[in-house]
Amino acid sequence: MMNNNPLNVNEETNMKITQVAIAVIYYQDLYLLGYRSADQHQGNKYEFVGGKIEADETATQSLIREVAEEVGLDVSGCQIESLGIISHEYATKTVKLHVFHVEVDDVQYRQFSNITVGRENQPMRWVSKAGLIAGDYPLPDANKQILQWLAKLTS
C-alpha cells in the first residue's frame, strides 16, 4: 500500500499531503530536467519530470503516465529503481515525493537528446550529473535529498 495515512493529511499541521511520483531520468552521466514557470509553486526552478499520483494508480503507474504526458517518452520498459520517499513541508502544502531513478537506453536518448520543450511547453534540458550535484540548476527545496542520493550513486 502506497500510503499509511488514508486521509492524506499531515496530522501535525492539518495540511493536505500531495503524493507525487518523480522520475530522475538519466542516460550515462546526463539527467533530464524541466523548468518551472514563475507562476507555479516553486517557480523559476528546475525540476525532475513527474506529477501527482492519482487515487487509482500506484506511484510507478503515475511515473510512467506523467513522463509520457510531460515529455512523450515511454519509460514502461526502462530500468526503474526506487530511490526512496521524501516528505517535505512548504509553507502552503506538504508533499510526499516517491522518487525513482529511470535509465533510458541509447535509442531513447538519441530520440530525446535534443529536446528543448516538453509537451506542456516547459523548457527541458539534459544536464551533467556533476553540474546537477554542484547546484548549477536550482531545484525546489524538497529535491535537495535527491541530489544527496545521486551523489552516492555511480551511474
Side-chain angles (χ1 to χ4, degrees):
M1 186 73 181
M2 174 184 69
N3 183 9
N4 294 334
N5 181 347
L7 300 177
N8 280 327
V9 173
N10 182 323
E11 294 170 3
E12 293 175 13
T13 63
N14 214 23
M15 279 194 282
K16 185 176 186 288
I17 299 172
T18 303
Q19 304 279 343
V20 180
I22 301 291
V24 180
I25 299 171
Y26 72 102
Y27 175 76
Q28 297 179 2
D29 71 339
L30 298 174
Y31 284 80
L32 184 61
L33 296 178
Y35 193 76
R36 299 181 67 78
S37 66
D39 62 337
Q40 290 180 290
H41 180 258
Q42 294 287 300
N44 290 329
K45 294 183 180 179
Y46 288 91
E47 68 178 349
F48 296 103
V49 178
K52 292 179 186 170
I53 300 171
E54 302 296 334
D56 63 340
E57 47 182 19
T58 66
T60 304
Q61 290 169 331
S62 174
L63 173 101
I64 292 167
R65 176 184 54 77
E66 287 287 346
V67 172
E69 288 176 2
E70 291 185 20
V71 184
L73 179 60
D74 178 6
V75 295
S76 61
C78 292
Q79 177 71 32
I80 299 175
E81 175 189 358
S82 175
L83 290 177
I85 298 174
I86 300 168
S87 291
H88 185 83
E89 287 187 35
Y90 290 104
T92 58
K93 67 164 83 175
T94 300
V95 293
K96 191 170 198 176
L97 307 179
H98 301 257
V99 184
F100 297 89
H101 208 213
V102 181
E103 182 178 18
V104 296
D105 62 26
D106 294 334
V107 172
Q108 290 168 310
Y109 176 72
R110 279 195 304 276
Q111 183 180 0
F112 287 89
S113 63
N114 294 320
I115 188 171
T116 58
V117 178
R119 286 192 164 176
E120 297 173 345
N121 292 320
Q122 74 280 31
M124 304 290 299
R125 69 187 301 182
W126 290 91
V127 303
S128 73
K129 180 178 180 179
L132 183 59
I133 291 170
D136 295 347
Y137 306 93
L139 297 168
D141 293 341
N143 288 211
K144 289 183 173 38
Q145 177 66 50
I146 297 172
L147 297 182
Q148 293 172 11
W149 290 338
L150 292 180
K152 294 178 183 175
L153 291 177
T154 56
S155 28

